Amino acid sequence: MPERNHSSVTEFILTGFAGLHQEYYGLVSAVLFFVYLITLIANAKVIFLFATNHSLHKPMYYIILNLSVCDILFSTTTLPKIISRYWFRSGSISFTACFIQMYFVHYLGSVNSFILFQMALDRYLAICYPFRYSLVLTKSNILILSITAWIISKAFPLMMVIRAYPLPYCASNIITHCFCDHIGITVLACTDRTPYATPAFTAAMVTLLGPLAFIIFSYGSILIAVYKIANVQGRLKSLSTCSTQLIIISLYYLPRCFVYLAQNVGITFSADVRIVIIMLYSLAPPMINPLIYCLRAKDMRESLLKQFCKRIVPRKAHVAAISNS
């Protein structure tokens, strides 16, 4: 039977970086605002390039489009509140708003994981089964996979919220984090959290490790397939097509796996160090990913250069016309 909600807590307080001196509040808020602004502009540019360039309407770029949308939504879910924590000294968040934020943090994290699964599938089919690639990964199939990822990712986060929301919260309301997440909230409950924590941990592992297992399998298969190519140039070309996806996947999974493994082998971090690591692997990839697309993906790079040239050339012509008049 779920606990009835006898909570005396009406709001939570997000500590952010608990050990940070007030003299650095302005600097931290400015840095976080810069990260948020760059994330919005860079990912919006990717979406704009996709919308205005028919050459990008390929399966891989449909996947990148989903990732950009997910990155914008995740950053918008988490960053504005923590920016206001340091900019306006406003660390409080209402009881219900905290659970809404928790839902979107875990939901968008799940969506991200399934999008990376699609990236690995794209490269696996392109290199291991090149003749079937265009038959299997059609635009319609990618659309179905993408819609499925956005829908099925709702299940586990919704279950977490439904089970955690009714718990009695009658003691501390201080969350030692920059945003509301399941662990940060449920540790404050005045009850044994084990029956609630175990299903949540299992759900997180399925969402994280399920796609990761396929990613490891797919890139292992890719390495074997590339090794069989006799031509060295052919090997390098095949590997180069995977580099963009591999960098993005590594940015997402490696820090998370490090944190989980460190906790299991007994390596402990201070609260501030742990929060910094979590913030880095949560907020750095959405800002860096568009840069990786534009530098590493040939079609995206060419589309960006075309946009740049369209703006620069008319300006030069306008300046020349003025100088000649």
Side-chain angles (χ1 to χ4, degrees), residues 111-183:
V111 172
N112 206 315
S113 190
F114 287 117
I115 292 172
L116 296 182
F117 162 82
Q118 290 180 43
M119 279 191 170
L121 177 64
D122 175 85
R123 290 301 87 198
Y124 172 69
L125 291 172
I127 293 175
C128 296
Y129 300 98
F131 298 111
R132 298 182 188 176
Y133 177 81
S134 59
L135 297 175
V136 177
L137 275 192
T138 61
K139 291 179 184 178
S140 58
N141 285 344
I142 282 292
L143 181 62
I144 291 169
L145 282 173
S146 299
I147 292 172
T148 302
W150 285 91
I151 292 174
I152 65 172
S153 296
K154 294 179 179 181
F156 287 142
L158 191 60
M159 177 269 291
M160 291 180 187
V161 171
I162 290 172
R163 288 175 63 87
Y165 189 83
L167 295 179
Y169 298 91
C170 50
S172 174
N173 68 336
I174 297 174
I175 298 175
T176 311
H177 208 328
C178 290
F179 49 78
C180 300
D181 68 347
H182 187 266
I183 294 176

Side-chain angles (χ1 to χ4, degrees), residues 299-317:
D299 292 333
M300 188 74 74
R301 186 170 64 247
E302 290 177 351
S303 297
L304 187 63
L305 286 172
K306 285 179 183 178
Q307 288 287 333
F308 180 75
C309 291
K310 282 180 182 178
R311 292 186 178 185
I312 295 300
V313 172
R315 285 181 185 177
K316 286 184 176 179

Side-chain angles (χ1 to χ4, degrees), residues 171-241:
S172 174
N173 68 336
I174 297 174
I175 298 175
T176 311
H177 208 328
C178 290
F179 49 78
C180 300
D181 68 347
H182 187 266
I183 294 176
I185 294 175
T186 54
V187 293
L188 304 178
C190 307
T191 186
D192 180 17
R193 66 182 294 271
T194 305
Y196 307 93
T198 303
F201 178 77
T202 303
M205 289 299 99
V206 169
T207 303
L208 186 70
L209 298 182
L212 181 59
F214 177 78
I215 288 167
I216 292 171
F217 162 77
S218 65
Y219 279 98
S221 301
I222 287 169
L223 286 174
I224 293 170
V226 168
Y227 182 74
K228 292 178 181 178
I229 299 174
N231 188 345
V232 175
Q233 287 296 111
R235 290 182 186 179
L236 293 175
K237 185 177 179 181
S238 296
L239 287 174
S240 68
T241 63

